[in-house]
Amino acid sequence: MRNRSDIEQVIDEHGNTVWRVCVLYFHQSPDAQDAFQETMLKYALHGGDFADAEHRKAWLIRVATNVCKDMLKASHRTRSVLDDGTIASSSASSDTHSQPGCAEGEVLDAMLGLTDPPRTPVYLALYEGYTAPEIAEMLEAPVNTVYSWIARGRKLLKEALA
């Protein structure tokens, strides 16, 4: 198990990135918090070393993506029932970025409206600045497929924001 200062340093340096990956899957729900915590727990328990900070960041993104996908596949998610109270409480927000007419909210809604893929590859390319070969390695996908996902995602974002 890693020591407390190492874990705190990773959360300070890469916590926002891991959180944004989780939000891409779960839209700021408690599930995003659970995925974030699970990712950090996996880091705390991971005994291996990292070549450098970029390797650590890529590992965290990969683990967060896998945790989110695993959570989405969980059987309890396929049997959940939404009632009117659940829908109303999830749509009301005091976050100014999610309010109608906010440009940041529109971009976030457009990103969240994408399916995955291309949502994660587009996020990693446009926001985190990773190249397609780096994303392909993180997501264990062919490089040309990643290029296609990014191109399709950009096109869909452009259409959604037009």
Side-chain angles (χ1 to χ4, degrees), residues 91-156:
S91 63
S93 172
S94 61
D95 181 13
T96 58
H97 298 300
S98 65
Q99 299 302 317
C102 176
E104 291 173 11
E106 290 175 22
V107 173
L108 179 61
D109 288 342
M111 276 295 287
L112 295 175
L114 295 176
T115 58
D116 196 35
R119 180 179 44 219
T120 300
V122 167
Y123 166 76
L124 292 172
L126 297 179
Y127 192 79
E128 294 296 330
Y130 284 103
T131 64
E134 292 170 330
I135 295 168
E137 187 177 324
M138 280 186 239
L139 300 179
E140 292 181 347
V143 176
N144 288 334
T145 302
V146 172
Y147 279 120
S148 297
W149 287 337
I150 293 170
R152 183 170 20 127
R154 289 178 119 175
K155 180 182 175 192
L156 291 170

Side-chain angles (χ1 to χ4, degrees), residues 9-10 13-14 17-18 20 43 49-63 124 127-131 133-135 137-138:
Q9 178 184 359
V10 164
E13 291 178 9
H14 305 297
T17 300
V18 172
R20 286 189 296 264
Y43 175 76
D49 292 327
F50 299 99
D52 56 18
E54 270 307 304
H55 180 224
R56 178 180 295 141
K57 182 179 178 183
W59 186 90
L60 287 164
I61 290 170
R62 175 64 186 253
V63 169
L124 292 172
Y127 192 79
E128 294 296 330
Y130 284 103
T131 64
E134 292 170 330
I135 295 168
E137 187 177 324
M138 280 186 239

